[in-house]
């Protein structure tokens, strides 16, 4: 029987107070993992802890900005002291700024890349030594459609997520010998707070044009839900994927395969 169980494993999911990170953390818990997560601030952490408690999911949460290497080192040391060595890292935390590139300030571009790419590097660098000591590890980077495609106003985000795809392949290449597998999940368009502006009903009550566009580009004819990512995350976190390495698993309802529905 293929082993999808995460029993006995410790998973750290970044930015998991809500959204995709929360759904992935819940799925890993339901597969047997112990869950720890971080938020960037106390308020979000408190909301996340309340949400897990409401569902009866025991978690430990910490405030930590993933772009702060000193804070991340302290986080991992604290997790190792309080819970154990991280077996599974899900680099989920991320931001987006939708600004036409010629209007975007360099510090805005830098911030997106700092969180979405450098943050994932910092987190992975912090957990790899423990994974080497344990003789195994799973790193799952949450990439994007924008790891493959561009679109207007998301130049920083696409640049970061494209880099995250290559960071995934780099970690897979450098640490495969230590029985560490690093893969990515590339969600399609998922209904979360991050994409809420793209689905907002127009002042005249009509559907957002981008909402209509994504539905026409998705064979399934719908936005993804955070629950659509649960199974792929459990698979990539489990022993069942021990020979899958450096792969980006697109969970996009078929967007990347489809020319789009005729209007
Ligand atoms: P979200 O609701 O905006 O959640 C993102 C999370 O990242 C927040 O919980 C936030 O933490 C955390 N975060 C941001 N900056 C951080 C920092 N410096 N340090 C620590 N945590 C930080 O977004 P989402 O839709 O769930 O997306 C989650 C991931 O999936 C992101 O990487 C996103 O790029 C990616 N993605 C999303 C979609 C989509 O359609 N929604 C599709 C493809 C990929 P707090 O607010 O709790 O502090
Ligand atoms: C956007 C969206 C996308 C999604 C996701 C798609 O503005 O185009 O926010 O970038 O977040 O990354 O996979």
């Amino acid at each position: 029987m293929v082993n999808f169980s995460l029993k006995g494993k410790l998973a750290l999911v970044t930015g998991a107070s809500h959204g995709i990170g929360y759904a992935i953390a819940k799925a890993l818990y339901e597969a047997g993992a112990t869950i720890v997560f971080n938020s960037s601030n106390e308020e979000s952490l408190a909301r996340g802890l309340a949400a897990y408690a409401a569902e009866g999911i025991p978690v430990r949460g910490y405030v930590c900005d993933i772009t702060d290497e000193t804070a991340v080192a302290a986080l991992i040391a604290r997790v190792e002291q309080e819970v154990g060595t991280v077996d599974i890292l899900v680099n989920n935390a991320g931001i987006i700024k939708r600004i036409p590139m010629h209007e975007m300030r360099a510090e805005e571009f830098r911030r997106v890349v700092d969180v979405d790419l450098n943050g994932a590097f910092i987190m992975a660098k912090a957990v790899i030594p423990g994974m080497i000591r344990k003789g195994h590890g799973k790193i799952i980077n949450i990439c994007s459609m924008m790891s493959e495609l561009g679109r207007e106003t998301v130049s920083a985000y696409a640049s970061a997520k494209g880099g995250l795809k290559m960071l995934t392949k780099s970690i897979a290449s450098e640490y495969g010998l230590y029985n560490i597998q690093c893969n990515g999940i590339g969600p399609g368009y998922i209904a979360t707070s991050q994409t809420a502006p793209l689905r907002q009903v127009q002042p005249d009550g009509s559907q957002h044009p981008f909402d209509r566009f994504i539905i026409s580009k998705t064979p399934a004819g719908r936005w993804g839900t955070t629950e659509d990512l649960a199974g792929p995350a459990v698979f990539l976190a489990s022993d069942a994927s021990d020979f899958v390495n450096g792969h980006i698993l697109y969970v996009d309802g078929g967007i990347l395969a489809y020319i789009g529905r005729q209007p």
Side-chain angles (χ1 to χ4, degrees):
M1 175 60 189
V2 176
N3 187 12
F4 290 99
S5 171
L6 303 181
K7 192 167 174 53
K9 299 287 175 61
L10 172 58
L12 167 55
V13 185
T14 65
S17 58
H18 56 84
I20 289 174
Y22 181 92
I24 288 178
K26 180 179 173 183
L28 301 185
Y29 166 74
E30 288 171 345
T34 297
I35 302 298
V36 297
F37 77 100
N38 75 296
S39 290
S40 64
N41 63 78
E42 289 290 356
E43 184 192 351
S44 183
L45 176 67
R47 281 200 306 272
L49 289 170
Y52 287 108
E55 292 205 70
I57 301 172
V59 298
R60 282 179 189 254
Y62 305 85
V63 173
C64 179
D65 176 348
I66 62 168
T67 65
D68 180 339
E69 191 166 16
T70 303
V72 168
L75 167 69
I76 299 305
R78 187 172 172 196
V79 168
E80 289 182 350
Q81 183 185 6
E82 294 179 357
V83 192
T85 302
V86 174
D87 298 293
I88 302 158
L89 169 67
V90 180
N91 273 319
N92 166 78
I95 62 172
I96 191 168
K97 293 182 188 292
R98 301 184 182 96
I99 304 168
M101 198 184 99
H102 68 287
E103 296 173 8
M104 190 175 222
R105 296 194 310 276
E107 59 266 32
E108 292 174 312
F109 189 99
R110 285 193 193 98
R111 184 61 185 164
V112 173
V113 173
D114 203 19
V115 175
D116 294 6
L117 178 56
N118 299 345
F121 157 75
I122 290 168
M123 288 302 305
K125 178 186 169 190
V127 301
I128 282 171
M131 292 178 172
I132 290 174
R133 287 196 303 272
K134 291 190 86 169
H136 64 256
K138 298 281 186 179
I139 297 173
I140 302 169
N141 294 323
I142 306 301
C143 296
S144 162
M145 293 287 93
M146 289 26 242
S147 296
E148 301 294 343
L149 303 171
R151 85 171 186 87
E152 304 80 2
T153 76
V154 294
S155 60
Y157 182 82
S159 301
K161 292 297 187 178
L164 187 57
K165 175 175 75 171
M166 287 315 300
L167 177 63
T168 301
K169 294 173 186 253
S170 299
I171 295 170
S173 304
E174 195 161 354
Y175 296 97
L177 271 181
Y178 298 97
N179 190 29
I180 295 170
Q181 292 83 45
C182 182
N183 293 287
I185 289 176
Y189 279 81
I190 311 296
T192 70
S193 57
Q194 191 249 49
T195 55
L198 305 174
R199 289 175 281 107
Q200 198 164 16
V201 173
Q202 301 300 279
D204 64 2
S206 63
Q207 187 180 18
H208 193 298
F210 197 87
D211 183 0
R212 197 165 41 250
F213 169 66
I214 288 303
I215 287 173
S216 76
K217 291 287 284 182
T218 309
R222 68 172 175 89
W223 284 69
T225 68
T226 56
E227 289 70 28
D228 287 322
L229 300 165
V234 170
F235 166 62
L236 289 177
S238 73
D239 296 348
S241 61
D242 279 357
F243 206 55
V244 179
N245 204 14
H247 182 75
I248 312 299
L249 177 54
Y250 285 99
V251 185
D252 66 352
I255 293 179
L256 284 177
Y258 187 37
I259 194 170
R261 194 167 294 108
Q262 181 183 348

